[in-house]
Amino acid sequence: MRILIAGGAGYVGCALIPHLLDRGYKVDVVDLFWFGNHLPGNVGILEKDIFNLQVSDLSGYDQVIFLAGLSNDPMADFSPAKNFIFNASAPAYLAYIAKKAGVRRYIYASSCSVYGYTENELFDEDCPVNSSYPYGISKLQGERAVMQMVDSEFSVIALRKGTVSGYSPRMRYDLIVNTMFKCAMEDGSIYVNDPAIWRPFLSIDDAVMAYTRAIEANDSLSGIFNIASGNHTVGEIADLVKLAVEEEFGGKISLNIKQIKDLRNYKVSIERAATILSFHPHHSVKSIVRNLIANREKCSDWENPLYYNIRVFKQLESLNPVGDPALPLAAGGTR
Ligand SMILES: NC(=O)c1ccc[n+]([C@@H]2O[C@H](COP(=O)([O-])OP(=O)(O)OC[C@H]3O[C@@H](n4cnc5c(N)ncnc54)[C@H](O)[C@@H]3O)[C@@H](O)[C@H]2O)c1
């Protein structure tokens, strides 16, 4: 099986790809390498923008996975125009040329952020979506565009992931559990904007399993699936991170609870993924923190700008502002 992963050099891709290579898949990556290259040496590399791919570049692949785009709210808010280009148009264009090239499955990295602000209800994939901010809107636009291309020859699976956390060779400390862990380690304090809001969280290992289940699902399967390890309020996540760090290192981590309202509040059901994809998460906030502790030596330069998407993106944008969708290559990572 040959798989092309767009955005495969990012946080999720760098954890997923070694696992796919272990399973015997042949993997190539197309990426702009905004955050450098942390991929294993035996991955094929196309260093280019998705928009510069042609149908001929995709022939011979069995599956294409979209992991690219602007992957959080701060980036999307900083440049809404590029957000809509990279998050809505790029996945649509890639699916379009993949289908023309005879690729039989397309897997799209969607997000639970499409649910927006909800109250006191567990959301499944049939519930109304209602995000009012650029990132959530664009992820939904991308999802709708690719889902409408499904037919008997072209399967599309959209994975609406919760916020991923845990260690990846392309590390990020701008994701909920990772951020809290980093603050606990660096400052001895965890900061919480709005303790009441709900968030589905997803261990990176469970995310890798979700992509694996999607890749290996029967050929005729298409659909949208919520993917999460669990749901907690942000206040509870902070308590769990605090406890796990204190258990490991002793001492006391303080909690700094603010009351800054958040526009995103959702908890999701993963029943459909369990029933149809055989996706069963194995991880908890505690096991994510254990994974971060085990890998901390590799990324304890806590303030390295490469760990924060918005810092890299602002630097790239200052070199090539809105107007030209092509951003220049990496902002100083290893290649
Ligand atoms: N990380 C999460 O918590 C999370 C949760 C839900 C959904 N998602 C989605 O999953 C996907 C992967 O997330 P991540 O955390 O690995 O992101 P990331 O920011 O670490 O990586 C994105 C990668 O895509 C590349 N890229 C962006 N636009 C490109 C283009 N036009 N052409 C080629 N390469 C391009 C970048 O260079 C980067 O390597 C994203 O689509 C994101 O929206 C992520």
Side-chain angles (χ1 to χ4, degrees):
M1 162 117 64
R2 287 189 69 204
I3 304 174
L4 177 70
I5 307 189
Y11 171 74
V12 173
C14 284
L16 172 63
I17 287 168
H19 175 80
L20 297 182
L21 295 174
D22 278 353
R23 281 171 107 82
Y25 299 128
K26 166 103 183 59
V27 178
D28 294 331
V29 163
V30 56
D31 202 294
L32 288 168
F33 295 94
W34 289 343
F35 311 104
N37 184 354
H38 312 274
L39 291 165
N42 51 343
V43 174
I45 299 283
L46 286 98
E47 193 166 318
K48 55 163 90 172
D49 193 324
I50 288 168
F51 290 108
N52 292 329
L53 292 172
Q54 308 299 326
V55 174
S56 57
D57 292 312
L58 297 192
S59 69
Y61 289 105
D62 301 289
Q63 301 201 10
V64 171
I65 304 179
F66 179 91
L67 295 178
L70 274 52
S71 52
N72 68 7
D73 288 297
M75 296 167 93
D77 294 341
F78 185 74
S79 180
K82 274 199 177 130
N83 169 67
F84 284 104
I85 294 166
F86 281 87
N87 285 2
S89 299
Y93 176 65
L94 186 64
Y96 170 72
I97 57 174
K99 187 170 178 173
K100 277 197 140 202
V103 171
R104 64 176 175 75
R105 167 159 293 147
Y106 188 85
I107 301 174
Y108 171 66
S110 191
S111 166
C112 290
S113 62
V114 300
Y115 293 115
Y117 197 91
T118 71
E119 262 174 359
N120 306 327
E121 231 185 294
L122 199 59
F123 269 53
D124 68 24
E125 297 84 348
D126 296 325
C127 288
V129 284
N130 173 33
S131 59
S132 55
Y133 42 89
Y135 180 71
I137 297 168
S138 68
K139 292 305 285 184
L140 182 64
Q141 290 306 307
E143 182 186 287
R144 286 190 168 151
V146 300
M147 291 313 300
Q148 65 157 18
M149 293 183 218
V150 171
D151 65 20
S152 58
E153 305 293 309
F154 190 62
S155 140
V156 183
I157 295 177
L159 302 179
R160 286 184 181 167
K161 299 193 296 289
T163 306
V164 188
S165 288
Y167 171 76
S168 163
R170 191 265 123 166
M171 193 49 182
R172 290 182 62 178
Y173 281 127
D174 55 1
L175 299 161
I176 186 161
V177 177
N178 292 9
T179 307
M180 290 182 179
F181 169 75
K182 170 246 160 194
C183 291
M185 297 298 289
E186 196 181 25
D187 303 343
S189 196
I190 295 174
Y191 309 93
V192 178
N193 283 347
D194 185 346
I197 56 163
W198 282 83
R199 259 322 128 65
F201 72 97
L202 177 60
S203 110
I204 192 141
D205 294 329
D206 285 336
V208 165
M209 290 322 299
Y211 280 95
T212 308
R213 298 280 93 85
I215 291 164
E216 296 176 355
N218 69 66
D219 287 351
S220 63
L221 183 73
S222 289
I224 299 169
F225 299 92
N226 290 338
I227 300 292
S229 301
N231 298 284
H232 289 294
T233 63
V234 174
E236 189 182 18
I237 294 177
D239 285 331
L240 294 168
V241 174
K242 171 180 153 69
L243 198 65
V245 172
E246 286 175 349
E247 268 177 18
E248 179 71 23
F249 298 106
K252 192 122 190 81
I253 303 297
S254 64
L255 290 181
N256 191 337
I257 310 283
K258 304 168 184 174
Q259 295 295 340
I260 302 172
K261 285 289 160 223
D262 199 313
L263 288 172
R264 299 166 306 157
N265 183 26
Y266 38 84
K267 47 186 162 181
V268 301
S269 160
I270 59 161
E271 198 57 42
R272 184 186 286 177
T275 310
I276 299 179
L277 277 183
S278 190
F279 167 72
H280 297 97
H282 292 283
H283 289 276
S284 60
V285 172
K286 185 172 182 171
S287 71
I288 293 172
V289 176
R290 286 192 175 287
N291 162 277
L292 291 167
I293 290 170
N295 288 288
R296 70 187 185 285
E297 302 291 330
K298 299 171 204 157
C299 43
S300 57
D301 49 340
W302 311 110
E303 295 304 325
N304 184 335
L306 285 175
Y307 301 151
Y308 304 88
N309 281 20
I310 188 61
R311 297 188 195 169
V312 172
F313 189 61
K314 279 185 175 169
Q315 197 188 335
L316 292 169
E317 276 288 276
S318 69
L319 299 170
N320 187 1
V322 178
D324 176 358
L327 285 167
L329 299 177
T334 50
R335 311 207 64 152

